[in-house]
Amino acid sequence: MPDHKAHILVTDDEKAIRNTLKDILEFENYKVSTAESGKEALEFILNKKVDLMLLDIKMQGMDGIETLKQIREEGHKFPVIMISGHGNIEIAVEATKTGAYDFLEKPPDLNRLLIAVRNALSQKNLEKEYEQIKKKLPRITPIIGESKSIQKIKNLIDKVAPTKSRVLITGDNGTGKELVAKWIHEKSRRSGGPMIEVNCAAIPTDLLESELFGHEKGAFTGATDQRIGKFEQADGGTLFLDEIGDLGLDAQAKVLRALQESKITRIGGNKATHIDVRILAATNKDLEQEIADGNFREDLFHRINVIPIEVPALRDRRSDIPLIAEAFLSSLKEQDISFSKVSFTDDGLEALKSRDWSGNVRELQNAVERLGILAPDDKIDEDTVNSILSSKSMSGEKLDELANDILDFQEFKERAEKIFLIKRLEKNDWNITKTAEEIGIQRSHIYNKMNKYNIER
């Protein structure tokens, strides 16, 4: 039985053909509309939902091929069956290349017509089901590892995710704290809502309040439009406050108040807005020590630390390193055919396990890509790992060499600035806050410089 809800648009400049096809399809319990030109058909589908189109190729004005091209350019994906009284292979091929589902000659055989219509609608339904299944599938990468510590984290995620409890995720830089947060959201009852991420360390202090709570038009110089803050954007979903240990005390007080009252007020506004937000937070700092040092509010700590999850450093779960490295290499192969023949040897994976990985999973990911590009004979063995990953970094470049090679002062200054910044970051194990304090600039300026000079750990 055909889908009684299916809506078919018959487009043909011959009235007799339109009416004949309409009568046949309505007899089969389809809903049928008609158009006598390509232009009329395009106008029709702007306002009406169409499941299938029968489209004549030879029409006055815009012909069928031109109409089909515009349908596809405008993003409409419903199947189109082309009909022509001048059928030949060339026309059929062109119609198929343009995106036609099938091609029928006039006058269409009744059985052939109905079979083509049923098949086209069946394919459309299958594609719709596939899209629905895709939406239900996890959109994030898995947490890779079989070590006891990772199994413990996966079990914690399963227990915590369905609740409303706030979670504080701790661990070194690059361990995967953000991935843990994403999985908590993905497995929660809020997964259909937004997950909004805020890197507290990357936002200048003077802009943080506006970023989190929003502002009204004219609230301050430069506020030319109303801005909806991250708390409001996350309403009905999850707000992930990454690097929360880098929030200033003033901002901490305002976040605490928002959590206590479940309300926020935009800068320059006088109306409180109710928010329904689950808070996940992450930091690489010891917040209890930060409290003792007067840098973090104890009351905010207790608000966000309902469920603590500590993500282990990669050196504390070395057995997972080969699994993670192989997964990263497989991902590269899917994205770029040039990696298709690259593979690890057993001693190459053992060599990766023996390294300390101060940058954790993020550093390993970058290393795998570098090894995949530079490995001789597409084999990543122990010698390859030791030679490529032990090479000197950019920071080893000498300033006197730059002075000899570069004549332009601005270029010299930027290259020297890049070298200096890399060396300071390496010295502080890529801790942005510590580096900013040491060299006397704001954290946000370091992030801007890293973006400008394409600096990665």
Side-chain angles (χ1 to χ4, degrees):
M1 289 291 290
D3 183 350
H4 292 196
K5 296 180 181 179
H7 184 193
I8 300 175
L9 176 62
V10 176
T11 303
D12 197 303
D13 58 359
E14 294 183 49
K15 186 176 181 180
I17 295 291
R18 291 200 303 274
N19 290 341
T20 300
L21 292 173
K22 187 173 188 293
D23 290 342
I24 292 170
L25 295 169
E26 284 183 338
F27 183 77
E28 295 292 320
N29 292 316
Y30 292 110
K31 178 183 176 182
V32 184
S33 299
T34 61
E36 63 178 348
S37 68
K39 183 180 178 182
E40 185 180 328
L42 291 169
E43 291 173 354
F44 184 88
I45 62 178
L46 279 176
N47 304 305
K48 303 285 185 180
K49 179 179 178 294
V50 171
D51 297 300
L52 171 68
M53 182 187 286
L54 298 178
L55 178 61
D56 186 25
I57 288 183
K58 297 291 183 182
M59 296 187 295
Q60 293 183 358
M62 182 184 294
D63 67 19
I65 297 292
E66 292 172 11
T67 304
L68 178 58
K69 284 180 181 177
Q70 194 155 336
I71 287 170
R72 295 298 182 234
E73 285 173 2
E74 291 177 1
H76 301 291
K77 297 181 179 179
F78 54 77
V80 176
I81 298 174
M82 308 298 288
I83 304 175
S84 176
H86 311 278
N88 60 53
I89 292 295
E90 288 78 13
I91 294 175
V93 168
E94 186 179 3
T96 304
K97 284 183 177 179
T98 309
Y101 173 78
D102 206 344
F103 180 86
L104 301 176
E105 292 186 46
K106 286 184 182 178
D109 174 78
L110 179 59
N111 288 331
R112 174 84 173 84
L113 169 69
L114 295 178
I115 288 171
V117 167
R118 286 171 191 152
N119 288 345
L121 290 171
S122 294
Q123 177 176 299
K124 181 178 182 294
N125 290 334
L126 285 172
E127 289 175 352
K128 185 177 179 181
E129 289 174 14
Y130 173 70
E131 289 299 321
Q132 289 173 341
I133 291 171
K134 260 203 327 186
K135 287 179 181 177
K136 293 178 181 178
L137 291 173
R139 295 158 289 177
I140 53 179
T141 56
I143 297 174
I144 301 167
E146 297 175 355
S147 61
K148 287 183 180 179
S149 56
I150 287 300
Q151 291 300 331
K152 181 180 177 182
I153 284 176
K154 290 178 181 178
N155 292 336
L156 263 174
I157 290 172
D158 289 339
K159 286 182 180 179
V160 170
T163 72
K164 296 180 180 179
S165 299
R166 297 177 186 133
V167 181
L168 177 62
I169 307 162
T170 57
D172 293 345
N173 282 329
T175 50
K177 299 187 292 294
E178 180 183 355
L179 187 58
V180 170
K182 286 182 176 180
W183 272 110
I184 292 172
H185 174 76
E186 186 73 28
K187 293 192 171 190
S188 74
R189 296 187 178 96
R190 295 171 175 261
S191 59
M195 179 176 177
I196 304 299
E197 301 175 35
V198 181
N199 188 330
C200 300
I203 304 170
T205 304
D206 54 342
L207 297 178
L208 189 61
E209 188 176 351
S210 172
E211 188 77 15
L212 291 175
F213 307 114
H215 62 249
E216 299 293 353
K217 182 178 179 180
F220 50 83
T221 303
T224 55
D225 295 294
Q226 183 191 69
R227 180 188 179 92
I228 303 300
K230 300 297 187 184
F231 270 90
E232 280 187 85
Q233 291 176 34
D235 190 42
T238 303
L239 180 63
F240 176 46
L241 298 174
D242 197 9
E243 305 291 357
I244 195 169
D246 290 305
L247 274 182
L249 289 171
D250 287 346
Q252 290 175 35
K254 289 165 183 172
V255 168
L256 176 64
R257 183 177 177 184
L259 300 188
Q260 288 172 331
E261 300 179 358
S262 295
K263 294 178 182 178
I264 61 99
T265 302
R266 298 186 200 126
I267 299 173
N270 50 27
K271 179 183 176 184
T273 302
H274 177 78
I275 49 168
D276 172 24
V277 172
R278 182 185 189 177
I279 297 293
L280 305 178
T283 182
N284 62 353
K285 292 187 173 183
D286 180 348
L287 291 189
E288 291 180 313
Q289 184 60 50
E290 292 294 306
I291 292 168
D293 294 341
N295 297 326
F296 202 84
R297 295 181 63 112
E298 187 173 5
D299 45 5
L300 177 58
F301 173 72
H302 291 306
R303 284 275 175 180
I304 62 176
N305 192 39
V306 178
I307 306 289
I309 296 180
E310 183 175 1
V311 185
L314 198 53
R315 61 182 173 274
D316 295 328
R317 56 180 185 111
R318 293 181 186 275
S319 61
D320 291 333
I321 290 174
L323 295 174
I324 299 169
E326 292 277 22
F328 284 148
L329 185 57
S330 294
S331 177
L332 288 170
K333 289 178 179 181
E334 291 175 5
Q335 299 168 33
D336 189 337
I337 194 171
S338 63
F339 290 94
S340 60
K341 295 181 180 179
V342 180
S343 62
F344 283 105
T345 63
D346 290 342
D347 65 344
L349 291 172
E350 285 298 317
L352 292 179
K353 282 176 66 176
S354 69
R355 302 180 75 85
D356 284 338
W357 302 110
S358 59
N360 295 293
V361 178
R362 193 180 300 139
E363 182 186 2
L364 176 58
Q365 182 177 16
N366 292 338
V368 169
E369 184 172 356
R370 194 184 322 151
L371 290 165
I373 294 170
L374 301 178
D377 303 321
D378 293 329
K379 291 290 182 186
I380 304 175
D381 57 16
E382 182 179 6
D383 290 341
T384 301
V385 170
N386 291 335
S387 63
I388 292 176
L389 298 188
S390 297
S391 59
K392 291 184 178 179
S393 69
M394 174 65 190
S395 61
E397 194 172 1
K398 298 290 189 294
L399 288 179
D400 56 349
E401 293 175 1
L402 287 182
N404 290 330
D405 295 340
I406 299 173
L407 298 178
D408 182 77
F409 176 71
Q410 184 63 31
E411 183 182 351
F412 173 83
K413 189 170 74 170
E414 290 181 354
R415 292 280 292 278
E417 187 175 57
K418 179 177 180 180
I419 292 169
F420 172 76
L421 190 55
I422 291 173
K423 287 188 75 69
R424 293 298 98 193
L425 287 166
E426 287 179 343
K427 176 179 176 292
N428 293 313
D429 194 26
W430 293 80
N431 184 311
I432 304 294
T433 301
K434 188 175 179 181
T435 303
E437 291 171 354
E438 184 180 87
I439 65 177
I441 66 173
Q442 294 182 9
R443 294 188 311 271
S444 58
H445 290 174
I446 290 187
Y447 280 102
N448 291 337
K449 296 291 185 184
M450 290 174 72
N451 288 330
K452 177 180 178 180
Y453 299 132
N454 195 26
I455 297 173
E456 294 182 359
R457 179 162 189 161

